């Protein structure tokens, strides 16, 4: 008996901004299959006790990037700074190369690491996904990231700001960077110098022009605290160029007040805001992705059940940038999933990596038929109304 080929298209949706659920709640299963993770996670925490080496043996690895298409340099019309990483003395990164293409509207697609993949690969992919180039379709593009190493003591202000405001990892290294940014007489060990707030103000993140979809702007403010709790000598130490956010950050610190206590010098803090949600590029319709070897009966669609709580790739969720992946797999009559592989992922390979893990950990209920080269789309969606940007909680 001939089995009619069937393209399995189960709707997966992933909502990633903070829903009403508490952060410690498990993702909620709401359909066949819909996964809703909890609120965005805070910046990665690397406490001093977890460092692989003492602070004096830790270095900043800072990225310098160049984009090319067909071997020729290509200047971006919009770009976000790339994150720095921390490494031990003696450790080094090879150049990291991300392959990508440019759509007719200038958006970056097909982003994937092809050389020198690092722990920062997802962050690099997310940053590149927000870049824009002149509107013209291009293939065979590369972002070549060359890493340079510097100690915290030798780093200049722009290097320190890259780690403090762009990478935003918590831990001993961030504390050391904050002390350098605070100045030679800085004694503000955290952003309030151990002082308890009496009045806290917050920026108006909707004021002025927000970054483009998927983009992010940031500002770092420095100030002193007198014995009566007033914030003085407030200044913008560095920023991405968002003058409205810079002004709001200074106003926020001027309107805030600490309780009386010892005077503090060189307090630093950073705020950031994101643009609107960058929607996923269109997924190719079924009739444009034929597979003559596919034998996937309709019953597989009813039998397939996800067995894993997939979460949105953090680096993309925090911007926010949506995406999708097409995952191909076989299913045995008794329900075991095998031969799973990524067919395509957009706008970056990180979405395919997460979706592949979901399918590999899933099963189907038992049945009479096997499925060969079934395909399931996994969609990563933000809520209908994206949560307003929040202050950096570092």
């Amino acid at each position: 008996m001939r089995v009619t080929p069937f393209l399995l298209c189960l709707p997966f949706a992933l909502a990633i901004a903070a829903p009403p659920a508490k952060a410690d709640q498990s993702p909620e299963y709401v359909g066949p299959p819909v996964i809703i993770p909890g609120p965005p996670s805070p910046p990665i925490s690397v406490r001093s006790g977890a460092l692989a080496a003492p602070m004096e043996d830790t270095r900043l690895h800072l990225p310098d990037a160049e984009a090319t298409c067909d071997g020729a340099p290509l200047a971006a019309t919009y770009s976000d700074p790339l994150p720095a990483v921390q490494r031990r003395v003696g450790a080094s990164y090879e150049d990291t190369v991300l392959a990508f293409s440019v759509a007719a509207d200038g958006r970056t697609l097909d982003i994937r690491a092809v050389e020198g993949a690092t722990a920062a690969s997802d962050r690099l992919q997310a940053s590149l996904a927000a870049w824009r180039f002149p509107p013209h379709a291009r293939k065979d593009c590369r972002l070549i990231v060359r890493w340079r190493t510097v100690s915290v003591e030798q780093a200049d202000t722009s290097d320190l700001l890259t780690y403090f405001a762009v990478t935003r990892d918590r831990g001993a290294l961030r504390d050391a960077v904050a002390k350098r940014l605070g100045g030679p007489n800085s004694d503000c060990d955290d952003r309030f110098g151990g002082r308890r707030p009496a009045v806290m103000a917050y920026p108006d993140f909707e004021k002025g022009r927000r970054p483009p979809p998927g983009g992010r702007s940031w500002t770092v403010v420095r100030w002193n605290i007198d014995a009566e709790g007033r914030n003085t000598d407030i200044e913008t130490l560095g920023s991405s160029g968002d003058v409205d956010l810079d002004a709001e950050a200074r106003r926020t610190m001027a309107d805030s007040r600490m309780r009386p206590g010892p005077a503090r010098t060189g307090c630093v803090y950073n705020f950031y805001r994101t643009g609107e949600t960058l929607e996923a590029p269109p997924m190719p319709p079924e009739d444009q992705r034929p597979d003559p070897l596919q034998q996937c009966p309709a019953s597989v669609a009813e039998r397939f059940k996800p067995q894993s709580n997939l979460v949105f790739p953090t680096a993309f969720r925090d911007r926010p940038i949506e995406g999708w992946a097409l995952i191909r797999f076989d299913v045995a009559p008794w329900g075991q999933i095998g031969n799973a592989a990524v067919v395509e992922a957009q706008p970056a390979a990180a979405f395919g990596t997460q979706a592949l893990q979901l399918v590999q950990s899933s099963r189907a209920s038992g049945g009479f038929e096997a499925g060969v080269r079934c395909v399931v789309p996994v969609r990563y969606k933000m809520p209908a109304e994206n949560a307003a940007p929040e202050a950096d909680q570092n």
Side-chain angles (χ1 to χ4, degrees):
M1 180 181 67
R2 183 177 182 272
V3 178
T4 303
F6 175 78
L7 184 63
L8 177 62
C9 292
L10 301 180
F12 284 76
L14 295 168
I16 51 179
K22 296 180 180 179
D24 58 354
Q25 287 182 328
S26 299
E28 178 186 2
Y29 178 72
V30 297
V34 179
I35 302 172
I36 304 179
S41 59
I44 295 174
S45 179
V46 183
R47 303 312 307 169
S48 57
L51 289 174
M55 280 306 304
E56 59 269 19
D57 294 336
T58 303
R59 296 291 184 267
L60 295 176
H61 281 237
L62 298 146
D64 295 316
E66 177 187 16
T68 65
C69 285
D70 294 320
L74 182 66
T77 57
Y78 172 82
S79 62
D80 270 0
L82 301 178
V85 296
Q86 70 177 73
R87 298 288 287 177
R88 293 182 56 185
V89 171
S92 62
Y93 275 167
E94 299 177 353
D95 291 351
T96 299
V97 180
L98 299 182
F100 68 99
S101 63
V102 180
D105 62 357
R107 178 179 182 173
T108 53
L109 301 173
D110 304 307
I111 302 168
R112 67 189 189 280
V114 294
E115 293 181 26
T118 71
S121 290
D122 278 11
R123 293 187 183 185
L124 294 175
Q125 289 184 39
S127 295
L128 180 56
W131 287 27
R132 293 294 181 275
F133 291 91
H136 179 72
R138 296 175 173 85
K139 300 288 186 182
D140 193 24
C141 300
R142 297 288 186 270
L143 183 72
I144 303 170
V145 182
R146 297 180 175 87
W147 301 93
R148 55 188 175 86
T149 304
V150 63
S151 67
V152 174
E153 293 75 18
Q154 296 172 335
D156 60 26
T157 299
S158 64
D159 292 339
L160 296 171
L161 288 170
T162 297
Y163 187 83
F164 189 79
V166 179
T167 304
R168 298 174 49 245
D169 285 347
R170 292 176 177 174
L173 181 57
R174 180 182 173 88
D175 295 342
V177 169
K179 189 171 183 62
R180 276 284 325 271
L181 290 172
N185 298 318
S186 175
D187 59 0
C188 198
D189 294 333
D190 58 39
R191 67 180 185 268
F192 299 138
R195 303 284 292 276
R196 295 179 59 191
V199 176
M200 286 298 299
Y202 297 92
D204 179 358
F205 289 105
E206 299 300 324
K207 192 171 185 178
R209 185 178 180 181
R210 290 175 63 181
R216 174 184 289 165
S217 58
W218 57 268
T219 185
V220 176
V221 61
R222 180 171 63 185
W223 73 98
N224 301 327
I225 307 174
D226 66 19
E228 295 181 359
R230 292 187 295 264
N231 294 329
T232 66
D233 305 306
I234 302 166
E235 61 178 330
T236 299
L237 190 58
S239 84
S240 60
D242 187 334
V243 295
D244 296 303
L245 182 61
D246 296 343
E248 278 297 292
R250 293 192 300 269
R251 180 197 60 76
T252 294
M253 302 320 301
D255 292 347
S256 298
R257 188 181 179 95
M258 302 297 109
R259 297 183 185 276
R264 298 297 186 201
T265 301
C267 301
V268 293
Y269 190 67
N270 76 280
F271 297 90
Y272 74 96
R273 64 175 169 180
T274 59
E276 298 292 336
T277 297
L278 179 58
E279 296 182 355
M283 182 182 290
E286 296 177 24
D287 59 4
Q288 293 184 16
R289 36 186 167 98
D291 184 351
L293 300 178
Q294 184 183 78
Q295 294 289 322
C296 193
S299 61
V300 173
E302 300 175 357
R303 293 163 50 202
F304 182 82
K305 303 294 182 183
Q307 301 295 320
S308 173
N309 290 329
L310 179 67
V311 296
F312 214 105
T314 303
F316 293 85
R317 177 192 62 195
D318 291 346
R319 284 189 168 269
I321 298 174
E322 298 179 341
W324 54 262
L326 295 173
I327 307 298
R328 183 176 59 230
F329 64 96
D330 298 340
V331 57
W334 56 88
Q336 184 174 352
I337 302 296
N339 296 327
V342 180
V343 177
E344 186 179 357
Q346 293 291 359
F351 290 105
T353 301
Q354 290 281 3
L356 181 62
Q357 293 176 2
L358 171 68
V359 174
Q360 288 175 329
S361 61
S362 300
R363 285 186 62 87
S365 58
F368 296 101
E369 297 174 299
V372 179
R373 299 175 72 86
C374 301
V375 174
V376 59
V378 183
R379 303 176 188 271
Y380 299 79
K381 296 285 292 181
M382 294 295 293
E385 294 183 3
N386 185 23
E390 296 181 355
D392 181 359
Q393 297 302 309
N394 286 341

